[in-house]
Amino acid sequence: MKYQNLITVFCILLGICIIPAMAADSSTAIEGQLGVTNVAIDPGVFMYGDSGTVKVTVTNTGTTPVAIARAKLYSNELDVMGDENYGSVGSIGPGNSLEFTFTITADAADGIYYPLFYLDLRDASSLRYRVPVKVENTGLSVSVTDRPDAFTSGKKEDVTIMVGNPRENTVNGVVITPVTNGYETTETSHFIGTLTPDQAADATFSVTPYMETPMEFTVHYRNGMNDHEVTTSVPVTFGIDRKQAETVLNNIVITSEGDHYIITGDVTNAGLEDAKSVVVTTGSPATPVDPYRSYVVGALEPDDFASYEVTFSAEPGTTEIMLITSYKDKDGNLYSDQISVPLSSAAVPDKGSPGAGGDLPVVWIVVFVICAAVVAGVIYYSWKKK
């Protein structure tokens, strides 16, 4: 009898030792059949103040269902929202997956943070997984790649803006908008769209400044679902464009013709751009008269030249008149230049010819005197010989 009691006590003690061991093995088995199979973070890299999502996918690779009590995402540096939605998850069947999405806000300095994804298993232990989240506050790079050397008030010019993405993640919705302040633009905005890491795109705006205030261009873009913007400015200083067309008048000859004058010469384009609709005429105190009140030369390419002829009249006593040249650029902007021309340089008709009058009587008088002297000499010689 005593021997049987000892066997019973031994079996009880053995059961006490074996049952916990079996329970521990079951827990390990249940925990081992769950795994984090995917993590998606949007945006890929946060900027300061950005909000985004962390989506964790858990898959049951075992053959039995696993009951899940709750899921949470813990972080001391980032603000986490949405984990209250997973206070009671339920179970995940064999071969199935569950996605857990949390909203986080990156109110933290640049760096890499590791919030903890925690899955509380109802009948066993838990699943823990660290999710790396990067915060970097570098924005898009904006630069001016082309602009005129100097602006001219009221003249249309092209300004090219380049936008580059130095970030590690893609940004989208990139739009360049000019901030009109003292100038006009043909384009109200330029849509670029998506910029992948290290990608750049540019946009050209036709601008017409009216005052010397900086032109501003704002680049709007989205990092995930967060709006951002960056602004660049272009200083405006009025001056002479070194590339623009430049008309030069040469070989100027003024000839007096009755009651008016004639000016002839050459006009040359000494600039680097085409001069269109080139016209030469005279200005006050000269009065343009027919047949060439103004002379239309037409278009002149750089280093090209053409002849002109204009006619005008001037009041007696006028010492100089203005010779005016005008042309247009490719955008229709009108330019003009003028030089003064002294009338003292005007050539007069040759009055020394026989048919010109004026000095002709003097010539004939001289001829007459010579002839008379010859005749007188002949008469005197004949008389003396007698």
Side-chain angles (χ1 to χ4, degrees):
M1 184 66 179
K2 189 174 181 180
Y3 177 75
Q4 291 176 344
N5 290 335
L6 291 175
I7 293 176
T8 302
V9 172
F10 176 76
C11 291
I12 293 173
L13 293 175
L14 182 61
I16 293 174
C17 294
I18 292 176
I19 290 175
M22 291 177 62
D25 291 341
S26 175
S27 173
T28 303
I30 293 175
E31 183 180 355
Q33 69 185 52
L34 289 183
V36 175
T37 54
N38 188 45
V39 174
I41 302 174
D42 183 33
V45 179
F46 286 70
M47 299 178 71
Y48 180 82
D50 279 358
S51 294
T53 57
V54 173
K55 182 183 296 183
V56 180
T57 302
V58 176
T59 302
N60 181 2
T61 58
T63 57
T64 57
V66 177
I68 301 174
R70 61 191 178 100
K72 290 187 68 68
L73 185 68
Y74 294 99
S75 176
N76 294 328
E77 299 86 5
L78 307 175
D79 294 334
V80 180
M81 295 170 285
D83 55 357
E84 66 274 9
N85 298 326
Y86 303 111
S88 178
V89 177
S91 62
I92 176 172
N96 294 333
S97 299
L98 284 180
E99 292 182 348
F100 302 90
T101 303
F102 306 91
T103 301
I104 63 173
T105 300
D107 291 331
D110 290 4
I112 301 176
Y113 303 93
Y114 297 90
L116 175 65
F117 172 70
Y118 176 77
L119 199 63
D120 186 8
L121 305 181
R122 182 179 302 167
D123 299 326
S125 181
S126 62
L127 176 66
R128 294 175 173 82
Y129 187 86
R130 291 284 181 179
V131 180
V133 176
K134 190 170 186 178
V135 179
E136 183 183 11
N137 208 35
T138 302
L140 296 185
S141 173
V142 184
S143 58
V144 180
T145 57
D146 190 26
R147 48 160 293 184
D149 297 327
F151 290 95
T152 302
S153 179
K155 181 185 177 184
K156 184 184 297 183
E157 299 283 2
D158 289 341
V159 174
T160 301
I161 307 296
M162 174 176 283
V163 182
N165 181 15
R167 296 181 56 78
E168 296 180 12
N169 64 305
T170 298
V171 297
N172 50 30
V174 181
V175 179
I176 306 176
T177 303
V179 182
T180 55
N181 180 22
Y183 66 98
E184 294 179 350
T185 58
T186 303
E187 304 84 0
T188 57
S189 64
H190 188 96
F191 182 76
I192 294 177
T194 300
L195 283 179
T196 58
D198 296 331
Q199 184 183 9
D202 54 23
T204 300
F205 293 86
S206 296
V207 299
T208 306
Y210 295 103
M211 58 182 65
E212 292 182 314
T213 55
M215 300 179 184
E216 292 187 346
F217 297 86
T218 301
V219 179
H220 302 269
Y221 63 97
R222 290 202 306 271
N223 187 44
M225 61 180 183
N226 307 279
D227 293 329
H228 294 275
E229 66 178 38
V230 58
T231 300
T232 187
S233 62
V234 180
V236 176
T237 303
F238 291 153
I240 299 176
D241 187 355
R242 290 178 293 181
K243 295 182 179 179
Q244 72 179 28
E246 180 181 358
T247 55
V248 178
L249 300 173
N250 293 316
N251 302 324
I252 300 174
V253 177
I254 304 179
T255 304
S256 176
E257 187 73 22
D259 59 347
H260 66 275
Y261 294 89
I262 301 173
I263 295 183
T264 60
D266 299 330
V267 54
T268 304
N269 181 8
L272 300 179
E273 296 179 348
D274 290 350
K276 302 180 181 298
S277 304
V278 179
V279 177
V280 181
T281 187
T282 54
S284 180
T287 302
V289 297
D290 292 329
Y292 301 111
R293 293 175 177 271
S294 59
Y295 196 93
V296 180
V297 176
L300 286 178
E301 297 179 351
D303 299 330
D304 195 8
F305 73 96
S307 299
Y308 65 88
E309 180 178 350
V310 293
T311 52
F312 69 96
S313 64
E315 295 294 333
T318 303
T319 57
E320 63 180 19
I321 56 94
M322 304 306 295
L323 189 59
I324 302 173
T325 309
S326 63
Y327 69 92
K328 295 180 180 179
D329 62 11
K330 62 180 181 179
D331 297 315
N333 298 303
L334 180 64
Y335 302 87
S336 65
D337 193 12
Q338 61 183 21
I339 61 172
S340 62
V341 178
L343 290 184
S344 59
S345 62
V348 296
D350 185 6
K351 298 179 181 179
S353 62
D359 294 337
L360 290 179
V362 176
V363 176
W364 286 109
I365 290 174
V366 172
V367 173
F368 177 77
V369 171
I370 295 174
C371 292
V374 172
V375 172
V378 171
I379 294 173
Y380 174 76
Y381 178 77
S382 300
W383 177 77
K384 190 176 179 180
K385 193 173 181 180
K386 289 178 179 179

